[in-house]
């Protein structure tokens, strides 16, 4: 069952299946921090990414945070493209924290629509599902963030390697924030833990327009596992 109050929906996995007539609009899932960072460049990158999504008629799905980079990218895109362009998905436990920060329910007019789920796994499943079912150029983007951002980024990289999806995965590298991660991939290749072909599953972008370009021009690695995930 689905219920809604103040623009907030509660859904189960069974409820999440799209109708046969759902659009194939490009959808980008953004992983990023709930903090603004110490450099103003991180917030500026969030705003510039939202501007690029608006300019290219791309929808956003994200973790429904109202503060830090999460709030900035959602607020900016909602202001530019309207609430229908932004979909936040959040577990019930985190919603209580967001309500404390926002002083009430997450305002759809400011942050787009919000879907409440039971746990983190369902949240990530639904965010990925929207991207996988999106139109050309859909994919995953990591702005700067902490443990959660890195965990989500590595999971969608792994899912790509396993053949669960073939969507682009981009690290928006602001002021060298992801230099260490990019170097780690190179080290893992040289040490024999990542194949040279799969090193390209994660691609780098240095500005928002390059993020969109990298997603549009993304090439699926030939080294990915050829697995059938349609089995029940």
């Amino acid at each position: 069952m689905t219920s809604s109050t103040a623009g907030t929906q509660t859904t189960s996995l069974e409820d999440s299946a799209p109708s046969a007539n759902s659009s194939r609009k490009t959808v980008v899932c953004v992983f990023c921090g709930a903090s603004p960072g110490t450099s103003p460049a991180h917030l500026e990158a969030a705003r510039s990414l939202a501007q690029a999504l608006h300019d290219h008629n791309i929808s956003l799905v994200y973790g429904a945070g109202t503060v830090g980079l999460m709030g900035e990218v959602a607020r900016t895109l909602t202001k530019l493209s309207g609430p229908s362009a932004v979909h936040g998905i959040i577990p019930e436990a985190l919603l209580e924290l967001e309500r404390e920060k926002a002083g009430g329910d997450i305002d759809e007019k400011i942050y787009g629509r919000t879907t409440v789920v039971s746990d983190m796994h369902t949240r990530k499943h639904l965010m990925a599902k929207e991207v996988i079912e999106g139109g050309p150029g859909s994919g995953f983007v990591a702005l700067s963030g902490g443990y959660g951002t890195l965990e989500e980024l590595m999971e969608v990289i792994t899912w790509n390697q396993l053949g669960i999806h073939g969507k682009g995965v981009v690290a928006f590298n602001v002021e060298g924030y992801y230099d260490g991660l990019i170097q780690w991939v190179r080290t893992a290749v040289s040490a024999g833990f990542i194949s040279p072909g799969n090193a390209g599953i994660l691609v780098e972008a240095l500005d928002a327009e390059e993020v969109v370009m990298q997603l549009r021009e993304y090439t699926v690695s030939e080294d990915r596992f050829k697995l059938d995930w349609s089995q029940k």
Side-chain angles (χ1 to χ4, degrees):
M1 298 296 293
T2 301
S3 61
S4 63
T5 56
T8 299
Q9 293 183 322
T10 302
T11 186
S12 67
L13 284 172
E14 289 76 17
D15 293 328
S16 68
S19 68
N21 295 322
S22 61
S23 70
R24 295 274 293 170
K25 186 175 181 180
T26 301
V27 178
V28 167
C29 178
V30 174
F31 307 129
C32 57
S35 298
T38 55
S39 169
H42 298 295
L43 283 173
E44 179 54 39
R47 289 189 288 267
S48 67
L49 180 58
Q51 182 67 58
L53 297 180
H54 170 71
D55 292 344
H56 294 278
N57 192 31
I58 297 172
S59 290
L60 166 70
V61 61
Y62 83 116
T66 60
V67 295
L69 303 190
M70 295 177 74
E72 196 70 20
V73 69
R75 277 193 304 272
T76 305
L77 186 57
T78 300
K79 184 176 181 180
L80 292 169
S81 298
S84 64
V86 179
H87 184 196
I89 302 176
I90 189 169
E92 182 71 44
L94 286 178
L95 179 63
E96 294 307 312
L97 183 61
E98 290 299 328
R99 282 171 172 158
E100 290 177 10
K101 295 174 182 176
D105 284 327
I106 299 173
D107 192 334
E108 181 175 353
K109 296 188 295 295
I110 299 174
Y111 297 101
R113 64 191 178 96
T114 300
T115 296
V116 182
V117 295
S118 60
D119 53 57
M120 294 289 284
H121 294 292
T122 305
R123 176 204 220 179
K124 292 188 289 183
H125 173 86
L126 294 183
M127 289 195 298
K129 192 172 189 292
E130 289 201 19
V131 172
I132 292 168
E133 294 177 347
S138 296
F140 303 90
V141 177
L143 282 163
S144 308
Y147 290 135
T149 300
L150 185 60
E151 184 271 335
E152 291 170 318
L153 173 62
M154 296 307 292
E155 184 167 53
V156 295
I157 291 171
T158 303
W159 286 2
N160 188 305
Q161 179 177 249
L162 293 173
I164 296 173
H165 74 84
K167 299 297 186 180
V169 184
V170 177
F172 189 167
N173 195 12
V174 178
E175 293 189 334
Y177 187 80
Y178 283 117
D179 285 355
L181 176 61
I182 293 165
Q183 182 56 51
W184 173 82
V185 173
R186 297 190 185 109
T187 300
V189 170
S190 64
F193 291 102
I194 295 176
S195 72
N198 282 340
I201 290 175
L202 175 66
V203 296
E204 177 188 21
L206 299 179
D207 60 55
E209 281 298 323
E210 188 178 8
V211 168
V212 175
M213 181 196 73
Q214 291 282 23
L215 291 174
R216 285 181 169 176
E217 299 180 359
Y218 189 79
T219 302
V220 176
S221 169
E222 291 296 325
D223 285 356
R224 297 191 314 154
F225 292 102
K226 310 297 191 294
L227 302 176
D228 182 4
W229 291 95
S230 65
Q231 300 296 323
K232 296 288 186 178

